[in-house]
Amino acid sequence: MKKNKAVRFIHLWLGMISGLVVFTVAVTGCIYAFEEEIRSVIHKDLQQVPAQLTGRYSLDSLITKVREEHKEIKIKNIRVFSDPGRSIIFNTRNNTSIFLDPYTGSILGTLDTEKEFLAVILKIHRSLYLGDPGKMITGASALIFFVMLISGIILWWPGKKKNLKSKFRFSLKTSRKRLIYDLHSILGFYASWIIIFTVITGLIWSYKWMEGAMYAVTGSVKETVKLKSVKPGSAADASVEKILAISLSSSAGSSEQLIMLPEDSTGVIKVNARHPKSGFFTKNDQYYFNRFTAEKLKEVPFEKSSAGDKLKATNLQIHTGKVFGLPGQLMVFFASLICASLPITGFMFWWGKRKEKD
């Protein structure tokens, strides 16, 4: 009894400390679990183009067009999709996404990636829209919530077998106090087995030591690539279209090519070739090119990546449930909804007991 009393005390006050943050992160998490699906609807006019089999503009000509029409921007990366009905996306270092029709070369529109709806949702989810201080708050709250999940399971655990049935289902034909307790305890128990993975994956982004623990547990080392582009004579930048062609031939069946342009004159061009979902891990092949000669300097195919790197590449998919497709997304969505309700039902139950004592 004394043990449970201590656990109950810890659970209560950790909940009081982190409740509002947990509510905010859970609600925004519900929305962001369907980020790709929401974007495809609200930005359909930017993402979709009439598909054609031939007549695509080269990436080099599209880069020139973007630079001519947006002289103030610096291109960060380019997203090219295998789907012939998708536009090409230029992401800039000025927090803007520019969408182009690859068949007409026309700019379909731009998005401010700082103020766009889902970008705002993500900032609230990650940092409460408070920048670095907010990241510290959400990271600490995630740690607290992890302890609360464990303590909640301990408090839920039935002391006697005869109480087991009542721990798995609740009845609407009971007192208001009991109903609130059951909504908190039973729904929290069911959601905890899903949310525990979203919390752990969130902590991997929040803390370097957590990322290090992931690599330690998998017995692997984080891949670090330090390469430079060597300029032969007075050579100009190589054709990005040529680099795309090399990457496409090396990663047959890929669904997207993310071409990351260098930040300085000695940087390399990195291409991340993403494959359609197959199996648990997110399959990515990585290639590094000399920006002046288009020479492939290094390649890291998915099959040769360490277990830690594979998990890190799949971290977002686990976090949002996409690793298991639509059923996984729905599970995370409803589990997050339950999480958002836990601070409310927990406070209501505590307040009710407090009023009884008065």
Side-chain angles (χ1 to χ4, degrees):
M1 289 297 290
K2 286 183 179 180
K3 181 182 177 182
N4 263 11
K5 190 174 180 180
V7 173
R8 199 179 303 277
F9 178 83
I10 293 169
H11 188 81
L12 169 64
W13 288 105
L14 287 181
M16 290 292 190
I17 293 168
S18 64
L20 185 58
V21 177
V22 169
F23 175 83
T24 305
V25 171
V27 170
T28 51
C30 286
I31 299 170
Y32 210 77
F34 291 94
E35 173 252 347
E36 288 184 9
E37 291 79 2
I38 294 171
R39 284 190 195 279
S40 67
V41 173
I42 64 177
H43 300 313
K44 185 178 179 180
D45 57 329
L46 296 176
Q47 291 190 356
Q48 300 296 320
V49 298
Q52 298 179 34
L53 297 177
T54 58
R56 290 174 70 98
Y57 275 66
S58 72
L59 278 184
D60 300 301
S61 60
L62 293 177
I63 289 171
T64 300
K65 184 177 182 64
V66 168
R67 285 174 173 165
E68 285 177 351
E69 296 202 19
H70 296 272
K71 293 182 173 61
E72 76 287 357
I73 66 96
K74 292 183 178 180
I75 301 169
K76 182 179 182 181
N77 59 59
I78 307 168
R79 294 180 69 187
V80 182
F81 301 89
S82 61
D83 180 354
R86 286 294 302 270
S87 60
I88 293 177
I89 306 173
F90 283 69
N91 294 309
T92 77
R93 301 188 192 280
N94 309 68
N95 301 316
T96 303
S97 290
I98 305 170
F99 298 77
L100 286 91
D101 186 327
Y103 306 106
T104 66
S106 61
I107 294 177
L108 301 172
T110 63
L111 280 179
D112 186 331
T113 54
E114 289 283 300
K115 299 177 182 178
E116 185 256 346
F117 169 69
L118 283 166
V120 172
I121 291 295
L122 182 59
K123 282 189 175 185
I124 295 172
H125 183 73
R126 286 182 173 174
S127 67
L128 307 177
Y129 216 80
L130 298 173
D132 289 337
K135 287 180 182 178
M136 292 175 64
I137 293 170
T138 55
S141 295
L143 271 176
I144 290 171
F145 192 59
F146 181 79
V147 176
M148 289 181 65
L149 286 173
I150 304 302
S151 61
I153 292 171
I154 293 171
L155 292 173
W156 171 91
W157 205 265
K160 298 178 181 179
K161 286 186 178 180
K162 66 178 183 179
N163 297 330
L164 188 61
K165 187 181 290 186
S166 66
K167 290 289 186 177
F168 283 102
R169 63 186 184 186
F170 57 87
S171 173
L172 297 176
K173 297 177 182 179
T174 187
S175 67
R176 182 174 179 274
K177 177 185 172 183
R178 180 68 194 188
L179 180 59
I180 291 171
Y181 176 79
D182 285 348
L183 286 171
H184 184 83
S185 175
I186 297 173
L187 291 182
F189 172 76
Y190 284 126
S192 63
W193 301 103
I194 299 169
I195 293 301
I196 199 166
F197 292 101
T198 67
V199 172
I200 290 171
T201 50
L203 288 172
I204 288 171
W205 287 315
S206 297
Y207 297 106
K208 288 293 183 183
W209 59 263
M210 190 66 182
E211 182 184 282
M214 178 190 69
Y215 279 99
V217 168
T218 56
S220 52
V221 179
K222 185 177 180 180
E223 176 79 20
T224 55
V225 178
K226 294 181 179 179
L227 298 169
K228 289 186 177 182
S229 292
V230 177
K231 186 176 182 177
S234 59
D237 283 346
S239 165
V240 180
E241 183 71 21
K242 180 180 178 181
I243 289 173
L244 173 63
I246 296 171
S247 178
L248 284 170
S249 65
S250 303
S251 56
S254 60
S255 58
E256 178 187 341
Q257 303 280 325
L258 178 64
I259 304 167
M260 289 164 268
L261 301 185
E263 294 186 39
D264 53 49
S265 60
T266 61
V268 299
I269 293 177
K270 179 183 176 182
V271 181
N272 190 359
R274 184 177 181 180
H275 292 258
K277 189 77 180 72
S278 58
F280 180 83
F281 292 108
T282 297
K283 183 178 179 182
N284 290 310
D285 299 321
Q286 297 174 45
Y287 308 100
Y288 300 82
F289 297 88
N290 185 315
R291 65 174 295 173
F292 302 110
T293 64
E295 176 193 358
K296 190 192 292 182
L297 302 174
K298 183 179 178 66
E299 62 179 270
V300 185
F302 168 79
E303 288 76 13
K304 293 184 179 180
S305 298
S306 68
D309 283 336
K310 288 178 181 178
L311 270 176
K312 187 178 179 182
T314 312
N315 201 51
L316 177 61
Q317 309 299 312
I318 300 171
H319 190 70
T320 59
K322 289 178 184 176
V323 71
F324 297 118
L326 181 59
Q329 287 174 267
L330 288 170
M331 283 193 294
V332 168
F333 175 82
F334 287 114
S336 295
L337 273 184
I338 292 171
C339 272
S341 75
L342 294 180
I344 298 170
T345 53
F347 178 81
M348 289 173 67
F349 182 73
W350 170 79
W351 187 257
K353 288 189 70 175
R354 186 174 176 274
K355 286 184 71 176
E356 285 179 0
K357 292 178 181 179
D358 292 342

